[in-house]
Amino acid sequence: MNVVFMGPPGAGKGTQAKFVCEKLGIPQLSTGDILRASNAAGKLPAALVQAMDTGGLVPDDVVIGLIGDRINESDCVGGALFDGFPRTVPQAEALGAMLAARGLKIDIAIAIEVPSDLLIERTVLRRTDKRTGQIYHLKYNPPPPGADVVHRADDTEESVRTRLDAYARVTSAVIPFYEEAGVLKRVDGVGAVGEVTKRVLAALGV
Ligand code: ADP
Ligand code: AMP
């Protein structure tokens, strides 16, 4: 199954992706994670680091290239969960074309819906375990004592506001794209993590 997770920053895409990928046995393809790993390895051009840190989008050709390479890897033969990609209509079109060339398509696009006033708190208090990538929240899901966590450079209130604006202006257009394709499901992302997981799995029919 090829699945897209959509939703504004902080909606819970990464948190839910872990459970869904485990259940479906498919890899999580997060362009944000791939870009951060490339940056940590000192391989991301300075202009892209700056775009990310200030909450802007990275150019379409960069992320389309990253995903194009990634879906060629053997673990994607049974499908994949695309997390944070596509974020523009041209990215959605490119993904459709890359999958079609392999006789595949997006089977379902899940839009996780959370009101903007909750998203600032969710992102600014997000922490991620450096080693495992486990996502925590200082208030709702605090890291265990001694965990080595990082605060993302773009999880400042200013950057989050810019990202929310980019979501509203550009990324939200991907929702009607998948709605017209007949594969969109909307899921309420407010509530305990486990409750949201149940809704996501129900939307996926698994
Ligand atoms: P996204 O990948 O959509 O940006 P994350 O999955 O990283 O979002 O979640 C953002 C923050 O919100 C994290 O700190 C996470 O622990 C927290 N979070 C995720 N789901 C919930 C939820 N249902 N209720 C409260 N906090 C949540
Ligand atoms: P994320 O981890 O999904 O919140 O992404 C972090 C940042 O990486 C975003 O704010 C963008 O700067 C960049 N990014 C990730 N995915 C994309 C994408 N599909 N298109 C453009 N920029 C992206």
Side-chain angles (χ1 to χ4, degrees), residues 31-32 35-36 52 56-58 63 84-85 87 91 152 154:
T31 36
L35 289 164
R36 279 186 291 277
M52 285 181 75
L57 291 180
V58 163
V63 283
F85 179 93
R87 262 176 158 97
Q91 290 178 24
R152 276 171 49 172
D154 61 345

Side-chain angles (χ1 to χ4, degrees), residues 8-15 83 122-123 125-127 135-137 140-141 189 191-193 196:
K13 301 180 295 295
T15 299
D83 163 11
R122 281 205 190 176
T123 44
L125 297 183
R126 167 167 44 196
R127 297 293 183 273
I135 302 164
Y136 294 104
H137 189 277
Y140 301 118
N141 179 22
V193 169
V196 179

